[in-house]
Structure formats: C-alpha cells, structure tokens
Amino acid sequence: MHFDPVQMNQPLGFGVNALLPKARGGGALKMGLTALSQEDWLQPKPDLATRAAAFDAHPDAVCLTNQAKAPGEELAAMMGVRGGLADAARGAWEDMCLLQATQGEAVYRLIGAAVAFPTDWSPADKLGLPLSALHAPIHGYAEQLASGVDHFMAKLRPGRIFGRCNWFIAPTGALRWRENRPASEAFAGVDSGNAGERLFVRCERQTLRRLPQTGAIVFTIGIYVHPLAALTPQNCERMAQVIATIPQAEAQRRGSAHYAQAIKKWLENRSTTAAVLHS
C-alpha cells in the first residue's frame, strides 16, 4: 500500500498550471494529500452563471438518495446557501458529492452527487456504490490505495480539510467531458504540429472534509482546463516526464497511445524553438 504522508501548509492553487506540479506523476498511486485552510477550500470567485447554465441544461447532473437530504442541508447551511446539495453545488465552482458509511457498514458509499462538469462519468451510474467500486476503472487502486483511503476516511475529523489533484489529457476544452467515442476516434488527427491546440490538460482539484453534525464526507471537484500550449515551460517538462513513466495499464485506460507521441514531439519542438529564441 502506498499511503503517503500529508503535506502541510501547501495551498493547491486554482488552475491547471498551479495544480500540475502537485498532481500524480508516474509510478505507484498515492493520495497526495495536502492540508488546506478554510480559505483554500473552494475557489474564491466562482463563475456561478456558467454553473447554473450547466445544471439547468443537464437535470441528470444531480442524483440523490434519501440519505443525502440531511447532509445536503447541513452543507448548504455551512456555505450560507438555502436548500440542499444541489443548491450548495450551484453556489460554488466545485462539483460536490456526499459519502457516508451506513449503519453496520465500514465502507463509505456515494449517497448524493451534484456534478455539472463530469470527467467522463455519470452520477446515476455511481450512486450508492462503495469507494472501491467508484474507483474500479483506475489501474492499481485496489492494490495500492484502497485500504489507505478507507483508513483516511474513517479517521477524518470535522474541521480538517484535505486536498489533492489529478490530470487528464482530453480532446476537448469543454468543462463537461462525457466521452462516448473510442480513443482512436476522439484523438484522431492529433499530431506533433497541432497537439498544442488540439489537446487539453484537464485538472481536477479535489477536497475532502467531514460534516460535523451528520458525519457525512463532502468530496468536492473543481475542474480547470487549458490547451497544452498554455502550459508553463516547467509544466511542459513535467508533462513529458509523466507521460513517459505512467504505468502501461493506466496509459491504456487513458488512451495515451493515440496522443503520447504527438505530445512528445510537440514538446521537443517547443523546447528547440525556445532554445533558438534565447540563443
């Protein structure tokens, strides 16, 4: 099990270039947790009009069990919003999910989700599932991370907030990404000449905290998307290293065979151009 210690006083930032240095690299899975302050919990200036438009256009973005009512109301009140989980998620940039262990069970299940900007998943397909099943598509989760995550969730105390982040290569800059095409089709036409504009780095800024009254855990997901060309030089170097070292099974799940070489060549060309300009 790879359960890394928590990093203290390391704000995650809000945006792809701020998040990438703290996201997963290659190798074994790690939670990569950072302790956050209340001020660092949610994006301070959310675009609520974009959030409202997404929820209005996609009623299936909100899925609730009966168990989600009380925790949703508690979360909304914590945020100074009237209503429940859906209202709380409309009042922030972050999508919001509720996880709770039912009586007689040690595992946490998804009891409610308000997800305007999904990263290739549907709340309806995940509602009621335990953490292990929620993360089943992720290569190595069961072997490397599951027991550590369960332990963390069980020990999480009210008042503490923790964050982490991850990344994806996407063929679209849309905030909602529900991919129904095979990777060969989704990334068709991407090459070393156009990868900077055709490929997008998508980061999820995730946080976890326990509600003090109901004991449910709030899992938030803030979505940020940049074209590959918008990465800083330092993040370009990191991306090249990460793509080269990510485990094969995980690379296959992400469809990297259809864009990895294009990114590699594009990054090499960018480095060469930068060197010439500075010579």
Side-chain angles (χ1 to χ4, degrees):
M1 176 187 72
H2 294 268
F3 186 63
D4 51 323
V6 172
Q7 300 179 48
M8 304 302 293
N9 302 317
Q10 296 287 327
L12 289 176
F14 301 90
V16 171
N17 278 311
L19 293 170
L20 265 183
K22 306 197 176 188
R24 177 194 180 183
L29 282 173
K30 296 181 179 181
M31 285 191 74
L33 292 173
T34 293
L36 301 177
S37 66
Q38 176 68 33
E39 291 71 26
D40 291 325
W41 179 35
L42 303 175
Q43 182 172 312
K45 296 181 180 179
D47 180 353
L48 298 185
T50 296
R51 295 282 293 167
F55 279 119
D56 290 344
H58 302 277
D60 61 341
V62 178
C63 286
L64 305 170
T65 64
N66 292 334
Q67 293 92 334
K69 185 177 187 300
E73 291 173 349
E74 183 183 1
L75 172 61
M78 176 188 290
M79 296 175 57
V81 176
R82 293 176 61 87
L85 176 62
D87 304 285
R90 282 176 176 260
W93 179 250
E94 291 77 6
D95 290 330
M96 297 188 172
C97 299
L98 293 172
L99 301 155
Q100 194 161 43
T102 58
Q103 189 173 5
E105 275 195 325
V107 298
Y108 279 78
R109 295 179 180 273
L110 180 68
I111 62 170
V115 183
F117 307 143
T119 299
D120 204 20
W121 69 288
S122 168
D125 294 339
K126 304 286 189 180
L127 196 67
L129 293 181
L131 285 172
S132 57
L134 289 173
H135 293 94
I138 301 175
H139 171 70
Y141 178 86
E143 301 83 3
Q144 301 171 17
L145 210 56
S147 60
V149 172
D150 291 343
H151 178 78
F152 169 81
M153 300 285 275
K155 297 297 183 182
L156 181 58
R157 302 192 306 274
R160 304 296 306 278
I161 308 173
F162 296 92
R164 67 181 301 275
C165 53
N166 60 17
W167 63 272
F168 304 87
I169 297 296
T172 174
L175 289 167
R176 287 182 59 86
W177 181 28
R178 293 285 305 278
E179 190 58 71
N180 297 316
R181 300 167 295 172
S184 58
E185 183 179 336
F187 295 102
V190 173
D191 58 38
S192 60
N194 63 25
E197 291 71 39
R198 289 281 306 276
L199 295 178
F200 296 82
V201 181
R202 181 183 182 91
C203 283
E204 291 183 333
R205 184 187 190 271
Q206 305 171 347
T207 74
L208 290 154
R209 70 182 303 176
R210 187 182 296 278
L211 297 173
Q213 296 174 18
T214 60
I217 290 178
V218 182
F219 176 59
T220 73
I221 312 164
I223 297 297
Y224 302 90
V225 188
H226 277 353
L228 185 64
L231 295 188
T232 64
Q234 294 82 2
N235 277 332
C236 281
E237 293 178 9
R238 176 172 175 77
M239 186 57 60
Q241 179 186 17
V242 167
I243 290 176
T245 57
I246 193 167
Q248 184 176 357
E250 179 64 11
Q252 183 176 358
R253 183 180 77 90
R254 292 171 178 244
S256 68
H258 303 283
Y259 57 76
Q261 281 301 114
I263 291 180
K264 182 175 182 292
K265 293 292 185 183
W266 183 86
L267 291 172
E268 289 173 352
N269 293 339
R270 175 169 169 156
S271 296
T272 300
T273 302
V276 169
L277 291 174
H278 288 89
S279 62

